[in-house]
Amino acid sequence: MNIYFSPPRQSYPTFHISLSMLKLEYSNTISKKEFFIGSIKVYVYNADILPAYVELFKQEHKCLNIPVNVLYLVHHRQGDYSYTEAVAERVVAEYSKDAKVPMIAVTFDIANHGERKVSELANEDWRSGNETHALDMISCIDLTIHDLKLIMDFLPGYLDLDAHVNASLKEENVGLKFHNILAGYSIGGHVVIRFASRYPELVSAINPNVGCSDLTSLLYNRLKRSKNFDKKFFYSTYGELELDATERKRYPEALHKYLSQEDMQIFERFPVNQVLMYATFYDDDPLVPPRISKLWVDTCLNSNTDSAVYYEKGRIHDITLEMVDGFISWLRAKADLI
């Protein structure tokens, strides 16, 4: 079981909840292209190196396919793609130093964020006056999963790398093989876990950062302002939740039935042997408590020793450079498995 903890720090905030997360500066060291895919503005990094790479493959190489690593990054709630593009630049640059297979990166504004924002209130939580917080968050997650699938389906066409595949290789049915790696932050972490659960055949590895595998229990504890982080509330009927009238309005029965089914699927049948994972958490995160996901994470690590988890110390909800760099180191170490 690969479990890593951050080294002791001289000081860190004792309590902090913020949705304004780590934002690195994008320095234009790799190429950036924009595509509109299904009306979504999609940003693709480092793709300019691919045509020449694909053209290197000749019939004498006797290859089964031409591999390309694609890193998809999903930003946090109340953020936008600009939070993930500098992370994309850092990961691609460091990973590519000695990589045999090139990596490109993809990011975009998730639903109701950035240029796609239609409602400021819908991105807030109950404490900020959004009575439909649970519905808004889960529907945003589901739409982002659909958006990711759409982009994965159509990005190969926009890149059009088949035009650069050697004709003799095409005659032998040798084509491109995209290895998809998903990194998500906060709500993006929720997204990549659920995407991998739904589409394991499309995912090589996931990197959920301060995310959660059990959104039923996360929302229940947030609703009740409780700390019952070890109980799996997706096994509870709606009546067993013992909600009052206000809580039932905020967390409707139809949502519980829908959400608990998928959380149960993730807990019991996540494809641990098919999808590698490098997860990161703050060990005392007050917004997305890691204890809610701990049993699931431990199960993943026990079932697949190539997966790993890293815990940053502190009572805060954020991303650190140590989390990003730890993922890069892990990714480089597992390059042959992806």
Side-chain angles (χ1 to χ4, degrees), residues 50 53-69 100-102 161-162 164-166 168-180 201 204 335-338:
L50 294 181
Y53 162 76
V54 172
E55 290 170 3
L56 290 174
F57 286 79
K58 308 296 183 183
Q59 189 175 24
E60 56 267 24
H61 289 141
K62 303 297 182 183
C63 55
L64 297 176
N65 56 59
I66 301 172
V68 176
N69 291 327
K100 298 176 182 177
V101 178
L161 296 176
D162 293 289
H164 299 274
V165 176
N166 184 277
S168 61
L169 292 180
K170 288 184 178 181
E171 290 176 0
E172 297 180 4
N173 294 317
V174 173
L176 292 144
K177 173 65 176 177
F178 293 92
H179 299 277
N180 298 318
E201 72 281 2
S204 297
D336 292 339
L337 300 176
I338 293 172

Side-chain angles (χ1 to χ4, degrees), residues 34-206:
E34 294 181 9
F35 299 107
F36 283 90
I37 302 178
S39 78
I40 303 167
K41 186 185 288 187
V42 179
Y43 304 90
V44 181
Y45 304 85
N46 207 39
D48 64 327
I49 70 167
L50 294 181
Y53 162 76
V54 172
E55 290 170 3
L56 290 174
F57 286 79
K58 308 296 183 183
Q59 189 175 24
E60 56 267 24
H61 289 141
K62 303 297 182 183
C63 55
L64 297 176
N65 56 59
I66 301 172
V68 176
N69 291 327
V70 186
L71 173 65
Y72 291 87
L73 301 101
V74 186
H75 65 76
H76 61 289
R77 182 161 57 95
Q78 297 185 4
D80 57 46
Y81 88 93
S82 66
Y83 283 84
T84 44
E85 73 169 354
V87 176
E89 183 178 43
R90 188 181 186 93
V91 175
V92 169
E94 291 299 316
Y95 177 84
S96 300
K97 285 181 176 179
D98 54 5
K100 298 176 182 177
V101 178
M103 173 182 285
I104 66 172
V106 180
T107 191
F108 58 98
D109 289 333
I110 68 172
N112 196 39
H113 287 75
E115 293 183 356
R116 302 173 68 190
K117 186 183 293 182
V118 293
S119 170
E120 191 78 45
L121 182 61
N123 292 332
E124 299 290 347
D125 59 16
W126 288 309
R127 293 191 184 194
S128 299
N130 180 15
E131 290 299 304
T132 56
H133 163 58
L135 288 162
D136 292 338
M137 187 177 84
I138 300 305
S139 59
C140 176
I141 289 170
D142 266 24
L143 182 52
T144 303
I145 291 170
H146 290 303
D147 289 346
L148 265 176
K149 178 65 165 56
L150 178 78
I151 294 167
M152 279 188 191
D153 287 344
F154 285 91
L155 182 61
Y158 283 90
L159 294 175
D160 195 21
L161 296 176
D162 293 289
H164 299 274
V165 176
N166 184 277
S168 61
L169 292 180
K170 288 184 178 181
E171 290 176 0
E172 297 180 4
N173 294 317
V174 173
L176 292 144
K177 173 65 176 177
F178 293 92
H179 299 277
N180 298 318
I181 304 157
L182 276 59
Y185 308 87
S186 193
I187 196 172
H190 311 337
V191 166
V192 302
I193 292 170
R194 299 175 103 74
F195 188 98
S197 179
R198 294 186 195 182
Y199 304 109
E201 72 281 2
L202 297 179
V203 182
S204 297
I206 60 171

